[in-house]
């Protein structure tokens, strides 16, 4: 069915149903980025496992999610978006039940990886289905509600995970998805219209190269502290992963329909905002992964108390994002994103300097608030920067690429910072935990600061009426967007998800 036909069939209550269904689906996928973090100590106590096992309970989800995100969108375009959306919900729901019933840490990790596959199919199709159902004049409001629901999932993830773990059991962070998924399945079948994309062939070689490369690099980083950095398995994983990623880049420069067209990175705006996103998530995800354990294992807070104490950081986007949006409209997205990343780095740097085995919450609070404000300033304008960096016909690819790089950054962040933690400290005592945590969070701060530098490379927004130096004269037909587009909102921005997946 065509996009136009899909919209005709979803007039009236159809648009509202599409908004509800896609928002709930997005909430489920976004929630599972952070919901596990406050449950990690309880999972470790119940199922056992070392630090690298805990890393994989998070990274197995974020890695499969990140690698298959664009592939999931392509599957929907080719075989039917509603059909694949239903498949994604089914896989995600079944894997959630398997995670809840996991008898050991290895089976939990496997279930988390399958959860990521389901989320990768389901999540990118939420926006395309919503766009097909909502008339153009109402899409801005619909995107705003969808984004707010995803932001709520990120903000409430640690608190929801902590409360369920403390008052029921950690298994319920996964059981929670089951009734939601079962309710969405018939609604999606009955209330969403089918639609298709251009029917471009699937990029199987690109998907295999990217998947193998990312898995090799993350596996090597996770196993390095355990097996030794000079071990044959670790070195083989790192070198093979790097070689496959180089092969992916070379392949994508020559392929006719690549999963990620490398030519997009010729745009300074596209390259800058994606580098900033990857580094932001690398530093943020890794820090939250360790700090949530610090609050429980070292300071003695319950899972619920730890989740509540993380809210000044994870929940700040709900308060500051509207202000950030106003600022980006007035002065452009580049300075807002850069300021946000530098604030996030400053907050993490402050936390690294004050963390001790008996640090009070009051002394940590300024760092959490500063980091939260920085996160909010980044999230609000980042999507518009991504969308305005490419031609309108490539906004779907751009959005998928940005979300995939965010998730990759999260998986790498957990692996890199956990490796630093294991090399400098460990779980033996409160002091050894702090000895490993401080340098790891300091590295996280440095990574986010580098993201701020990358954001400054994005071309500044030009004054109204000022012509781009690369543009044709006004009398000539309008060309395709230049390699360095201006920082202006796209006509109909396809909003990228506000946050991870600490996307797991």
């Amino acid at each position: 069915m065509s996009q136009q036909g899909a919209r005709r069939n979803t007039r009236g209550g159809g648009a509202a149903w599409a908004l509800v269904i896609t928002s709930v689906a997005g909430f489920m996928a976004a929630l599972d980025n952070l919901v596990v973090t406050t449950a990690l100590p309880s999972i470790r106590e119940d199922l056992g496992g070392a630090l690298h096992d805990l890393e994989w309970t998070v990274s197995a989800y974020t890695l499969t999610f990140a690698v298959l995100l664009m592939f999931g969108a392509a599957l929907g375009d080719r075989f039917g978006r509603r059909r694949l959306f239903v498949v994604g919900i089914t896989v995600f729901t079944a894997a959630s039940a398997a995670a809840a019933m996991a008898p050991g840490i290895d089976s939990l990790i496997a279930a988390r990886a399958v959860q990521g596959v389901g989320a990768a199919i389901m999540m990118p199709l939420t926006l395309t289905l919503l766009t097909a159902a909502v008339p153009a004049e109402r899409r801005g409001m619909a995107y705003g509600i969808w984004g707010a629901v995803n932001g709520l999932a990120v903000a409430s993830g640690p608190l929801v995970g902590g409360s369920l773990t403390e008052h029921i059991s950690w298994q319920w962070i996964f059981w929670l998805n089951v009734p939601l998924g079962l309710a969405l399945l018939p609604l999606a079948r009955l209330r969403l219209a089918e639609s298709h994309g251009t029917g471009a062939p699937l990029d199987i070689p690109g998907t295999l190269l990217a998947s193998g490369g990312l898995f090799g690099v993350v596996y090597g980083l996770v196993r390095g502290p355990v097996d030794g950095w000079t071990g044959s398995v670790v070195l083989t994983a790192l070198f093979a992963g790097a070689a496959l990623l180089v092969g992916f880049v070379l392949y994508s420069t020559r392929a006719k329909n690549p999963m990620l067209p490398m030519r997009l990175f010729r745009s300074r705006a596209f390259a800058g905002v994606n580098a900033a996103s990857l580094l932001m998530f690398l530093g943020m995800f890794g820090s939250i992964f360790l700090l949530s354990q610090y609050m429980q294992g070292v300071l003695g807070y319950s899972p619920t108390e730890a989740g509540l104490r993380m809210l000044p950081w994870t929940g700040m986007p709900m308060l500051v994002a509207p202000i950030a949006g106003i600022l980006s409209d007035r002065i452009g997205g580049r300075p807002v994103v850069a300021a946000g990343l530098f604030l996030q780095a400053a907050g993490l740097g402050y936390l690294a300097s004050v963390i001790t085995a008996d640090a009070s919450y009051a002394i940590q609070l300024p760092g959490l608030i500063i980091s939260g404000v920085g996160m909010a300033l980044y999230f609000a304008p980042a999507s518009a920067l991504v969308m305005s960096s490419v031609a309108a016909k490539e906004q779907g690819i751009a959005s998928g690429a940005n979300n995939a790089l965010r998730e990759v950054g999260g998986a790498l962040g957990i692996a890199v910072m956990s490796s630093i933690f294991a090399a400098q400290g460990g779980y033996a005592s409160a002091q050894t935990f702090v000895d490993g945590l401080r340098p790891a969070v300091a590295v996280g701060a440095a990574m986010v600061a580098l993201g701020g530098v990358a954001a400054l490379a994005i071309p500044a927004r030009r004054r109204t009426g000022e012509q781009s130096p690369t543009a044709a004269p006004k009398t000539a037909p309008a060309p395709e967007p230049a390699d360095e587009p201006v920082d202006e909102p796209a006509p109909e921005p396809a909003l990228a998800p506000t946050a991870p997946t600490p996307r797991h």
Side-chain angles (χ1 to χ4, degrees):
M1 181 182 293
S2 67
Q3 298 276 5
Q4 185 177 2
R7 292 186 192 113
R8 279 200 304 266
N9 288 341
T10 53
R11 292 290 182 184
W17 275 112
L19 179 59
V20 170
I21 294 166
T22 58
S23 295
V24 173
F27 180 90
M28 290 166 60
L31 185 71
D32 269 56
N33 267 324
L34 288 175
V35 73
V36 176
T37 54
T38 46
L40 289 174
S42 296
I43 293 173
R44 183 169 179 260
E45 181 180 348
D46 193 8
L47 300 182
L51 173 65
H52 65 273
D53 295 314
L54 295 180
E55 292 175 53
W56 279 112
T57 63
V58 180
S59 295
Y61 178 86
T62 56
L63 195 57
T64 54
F65 188 11
V67 170
L68 298 175
L69 197 64
M70 287 181 285
F71 189 64
L75 285 173
D77 286 347
R78 185 169 180 82
F79 298 110
R81 291 162 178 160
R82 184 187 65 182
R83 178 182 301 168
L84 266 294
F85 181 70
V86 170
V87 170
I89 294 174
T90 302
V91 172
F92 185 86
T93 304
S96 297
M101 296 185 292
I105 194 71
D106 292 336
S107 55
L108 176 61
I109 292 170
R112 291 284 291 158
V114 178
Q115 257 194 318
V117 174
I121 298 171
M122 173 178 69
M123 188 67 171
L125 297 176
T126 57
L127 274 178
T128 51
L129 288 166
L130 185 61
T131 301
V134 179
E137 64 273 13
R138 290 195 288 162
R139 282 183 200 150
M141 180 181 66
Y143 291 152
I145 295 172
W146 182 91
V149 171
N150 279 264
L152 178 63
V154 173
S156 60
L159 179 57
V160 170
S163 299
L164 290 173
T165 299
E166 181 178 357
H167 298 295
I168 308 178
S169 71
W170 63 263
Q171 286 87 349
W172 276 91
I173 64 178
F174 302 115
W175 282 126
L176 179 66
N177 293 323
V178 175
L180 291 175
L182 292 176
L184 286 180
L185 284 172
L187 289 175
R189 291 286 300 172
L190 296 172
R191 298 293 181 176
L192 296 178
E194 187 60 279
S195 62
H196 295 78
T198 59
L202 301 175
D203 184 14
I204 302 295
T207 301
L208 293 176
L209 287 169
S211 303
L214 289 171
F215 179 82
V217 170
V218 173
Y219 183 84
L221 290 172
V222 170
R223 296 299 304 180
V226 181
D227 298 338
W229 292 104
T230 58
S232 59
V233 173
V234 172
L235 289 177
T236 299
L238 291 174
F239 282 114
L244 288 172
L245 289 177
V246 171
F248 170 71
V249 172
L250 294 175
Y251 164 82
S252 297
T253 60
R254 296 171 172 81
K256 184 177 180 181
N257 294 291
M259 179 174 68
L260 178 58
M262 290 296 125
R263 58 182 168 74
L264 294 179
F265 290 94
R266 291 199 298 263
S267 161
R268 223 171 79 213
F270 185 81
V273 71
N274 279 287
S277 296
L278 186 145
L279 291 166
M280 155 69 174
F281 273 65
L282 194 156
M284 181 190 69
F285 264 66
S287 298
I288 292 181
F289 174 77
L290 293 172
L291 286 170
S292 62
Q293 296 180 68
Y294 163 74
M295 286 190 170
Q296 295 177 68
V298 176
L299 300 183
Y301 295 124
S302 70
T304 302
E305 290 171 339
L308 285 170
R309 282 164 174 77
M310 295 289 281
L311 278 178
W313 184 2
T314 60
M316 192 60 68
M318 300 296 292
L319 301 177
V320 180
I323 300 172
I326 294 172
L327 285 174
S328 63
D329 286 342
R330 293 184 176 180
I331 65 175
R334 183 186 74 155
V336 179
V337 167
L341 292 172
F342 287 128
L343 281 174
Q344 174 92 72
L348 289 176
Y350 172 85
L351 287 171
S353 68
V354 302
I355 287 171
T356 63
D358 58 353
S360 68
Y361 181 65
I363 199 170
Q364 301 173 60
L365 188 57
L368 296 172
I369 293 174
I370 293 170
S371 294
V373 172
M375 182 190 296
L377 291 177
Y378 160 82
F379 278 131
S383 298
L385 282 173
V386 172
M387 294 302 103
S388 63
S389 68
V390 298
K393 64 183 179 181
E394 294 178 321
Q395 286 179 351
I397 296 174
S399 177
N402 183 254
N403 281 288
L405 287 171
R406 289 181 180 188
E407 298 302 324
V408 168
L412 289 175
I414 292 171
V416 169
M417 294 173 65
S418 294
S419 297
I420 296 169
F421 170 83
Q424 301 295 321
Y427 288 102
S429 67
Q431 188 56 51
T432 57
F433 193 101
V434 171
D435 290 342
L437 177 64
R438 295 184 73 167
V441 175
V443 169
M447 293 297 101
V448 178
L450 285 176
V453 174
L456 292 177
I458 300 170
R461 182 169 71 180
R462 298 180 176 89
R463 293 185 298 272
T464 303
E466 183 178 341
Q467 190 175 9
S468 167
T470 57
K474 291 183 179 180
T475 55
E480 288 290 316
D483 280 346
E484 296 184 4
V486 297
D487 169 18
E488 293 178 351
E492 293 179 10
L495 186 65
T498 42
T501 192
R503 307 253 272 125
H504 318 78

